[in-house]
């Protein structure tokens, strides 16, 4: 007994070539987008704006600005907590943006071996 495939399924070599071209196009689009995402810069503030972190899409910290009023030599623990929160928020923002942008191309596919998917 022969199984019938739904329309658009199977189709032999010509359909397979189309799928391969589509996958290659998606991979090229993803590589281009990844370059754009890596070049982006984000500014994130924490502690009510007393700490500002600038980060790029490669998760490299470009700068950290600290307002003088938050610097208390007797309370470095609070400053450390605010810095940690700012850096973590910056990383989260980059990862969220990268995932959302990649999902626009991939349609939320999760394919092994496809670079840039999170």
């Amino acid at each position: 007994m022969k199984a019938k495939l739904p329309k658009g399924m199977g189709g032999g070599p010509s359909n397979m070539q189309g799928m391969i071209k589509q996958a290659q196009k998606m991979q090229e689009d993803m590589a281009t987008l990844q370059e754009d995402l890596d070049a982006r810069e984000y500014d994130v503030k924490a502690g009510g704006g007393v700490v500002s972190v600038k980060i790029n899409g490669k998760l490299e910290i470009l700068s950290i600005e600290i307002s003088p009023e938050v610097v208390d030599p007797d309370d470095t623990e609070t400053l450390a907590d605010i810095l940690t929160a700012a850096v973590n928020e910056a990383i989260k923002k980059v990862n969220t943006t990268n995932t959302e942008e990649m999902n626009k191309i991939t349609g939320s596919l999760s394919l092994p071996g496809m670079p840039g998917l999170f």
Side-chain angles (χ1 to χ4, degrees):
M1 172 179 198
K2 278 190 166 181
K4 288 190 175 191
L5 294 174
K7 190 170 185 168
M9 298 296 290
S14 64
N15 192 26
M16 182 61 92
Q17 287 175 345
M19 289 186 343
I20 290 171
K21 283 184 180 180
Q22 201 172 20
Q24 288 171 336
K25 172 78 168 105
M26 183 186 296
Q27 195 168 18
E28 288 170 9
D29 291 348
M30 289 171 57
T32 300
L33 177 59
Q34 189 63 57
E35 287 178 26
D36 173 56
L37 292 171
D38 287 349
R40 290 185 187 183
E41 292 183 2
Y42 305 82
D43 287 308
V44 177
K45 297 188 183 311
V50 296
V51 172
S52 177
V53 173
K54 184 178 275 192
I55 188 170
N56 67 19
K58 295 178 189 178
L59 300 177
E60 298 169 335
I61 303 299
L62 303 175
S63 67
I64 296 176
E65 294 180 16
I66 303 168
S67 296
E69 66 265 16
V70 76
V71 180
D72 179 355
D74 295 326
D75 186 15
T76 57
E77 189 174 314
T78 297
L79 179 57
D81 289 345
I82 295 170
L83 284 169
T84 301
V87 170
N88 286 335
E89 184 60 31
I91 291 169
K92 181 179 175 183
K93 185 173 187 174
V94 171
N95 285 336
T96 299
T97 301
N98 288 355
T99 299
E100 289 171 356
E101 293 293 322
M102 281 295 174
N103 284 345
K104 289 178 185 177
I105 292 176
T106 65
S108 301
L109 288 176
S110 181
L111 302 174
M114 296 295 276
L117 293 180
F118 302 97

